[in-house]
Amino acid sequence: RIHVLLDLQHEWKQMIIHNMTNSPSEITGRISRRKAQNQNYKKNGKKKQIESKERTLEEIMQEMMNEQTGGSSATASDPRGKVSYMVASAATALHEGQALGADVLIVDPPRKGLEEAVLTQLCKPHNPNQAFVEDPMFLDGPKYAVNWTNDVHTLIYVSCGFDALARDCDQLLKGNAGWRLESATGYVLFPGSNHVETVAIFKRKAGRDYID
């Protein structure tokens, strides 16, 4: 299970919400000419010329799933049940239990770096006595005692502010959570500027590692 925390600035949040609310209700796709011809191949061996048929994205996804599983549309699993999203700050999402049971956590904060509340949770030492669950209702004890990132063993930090990354990295490595820096890669996405995007990967032993 992977959880992503995107701590976007206000104007970006408004733009995303606007695009979501104004997006079309249906997305259509076109099947390839070759596939259309193969689907309408005549018994006498001649290919029938047909016009490309428009289908919704949902129909295309359903057909792909049926081909992989070999089952019918009635038995295929619904991909929408595997992905969910929550509109909230990174700290609020954590305290709602969004990272419980997650093996991987992806954080993509603004240039100021991680929120203090998020960094505090990530720096907490792993609690082997905390139950491995995905819903906070199954946890015992008061909420203030819960380690909301207890199960995360891989942290992927996408940074657009190198100074903030260096500060957060220093706290993660000096904390008692057991994090170690496995790799850090810089990407120059804006040639000619002094801006560098960095992807840092931290690992530790936690969560499912203590069960297996």
Side-chain angles (χ1 to χ4, degrees):
R1 181 167 169 251
I2 300 176
H3 186 73
V4 183
L5 294 181
L6 297 176
D7 195 355
L8 303 176
Q9 296 179 353
H10 177 73
E11 56 269 20
W12 284 98
K13 291 180 181 178
Q14 295 301 318
M15 185 180 72
I16 291 175
I17 293 173
H18 173 77
N19 290 339
M20 291 176 62
T21 54
N22 290 278
S23 60
S25 58
E26 287 190 345
I27 303 176
T28 59
R30 291 183 179 274
I31 58 176
S32 65
R33 184 184 298 275
R34 178 175 295 180
K35 189 170 184 179
Q37 290 174 341
N38 290 339
Q39 289 177 350
N40 294 272
Y41 196 86
K42 283 188 172 181
K43 290 183 180 181
N44 58 9
K46 295 182 180 179
K47 295 181 179 179
K48 181 181 179 182
Q49 296 182 352
I50 63 169
E51 295 181 355
S52 296
K53 178 185 176 184
E54 289 193 353
R55 296 173 298 166
T56 65
L57 183 60
E58 184 176 359
E59 292 172 340
I60 296 174
M61 290 294 295
Q62 189 66 64
E63 181 179 323
M64 291 173 61
M65 287 175 20
N66 290 342
E67 290 177 355
Q68 292 178 355
T69 60
S72 62
S73 59
T75 59
S77 59
D78 188 350
R80 290 173 294 185
K82 299 179 180 180
V83 179
S84 63
Y85 70 92
M86 175 182 183
V87 181
S89 68
T92 300
L94 278 186
H95 287 89
E96 289 291 331
Q98 291 296 305
L100 290 177
D103 302 314
V104 181
L105 182 66
I106 303 174
V107 292
D108 186 6
R111 292 193 179 188
K112 67 178 182 179
L114 291 173
E115 291 183 56
E116 188 62 32
V118 175
L119 198 55
T120 298
Q121 287 297 319
L122 289 170
C123 289
K124 279 187 175 182
H126 178 263
N127 180 8
N129 297 319
Q130 181 173 305
F132 184 80
V133 297
E134 295 187 6
D135 194 319
M137 70 177 293
F138 298 113
L139 290 174
D140 297 327
K143 280 193 172 183
Y144 67 81
V146 174
N147 185 340
W148 298 105
T149 60
N150 199 59
D151 305 322
V152 178
H153 60 67
T154 301
L155 173 66
I156 301 176
Y157 191 132
V158 182
S159 170
C160 60
F162 189 80
D163 291 340
L165 171 64
R167 182 198 65 228
D168 292 346
C169 179
D170 186 60
Q171 291 194 49
L172 287 169
L173 297 179
K174 287 183 178 179
N176 297 321
W179 292 111
R180 69 181 189 278
L181 180 62
E182 184 169 271
S183 66
T185 308
Y187 297 91
V188 180
L189 301 182
F190 306 97
S193 71
N194 62 352
H195 183 74
V196 177
E197 294 278 340
T198 309
V199 178
I201 300 177
F202 300 84
K203 293 215 170 187
R204 69 173 178 179
K205 187 175 181 181
R208 204 186 301 270
D209 297 333
Y210 285 89
I211 298 177
D212 297 338

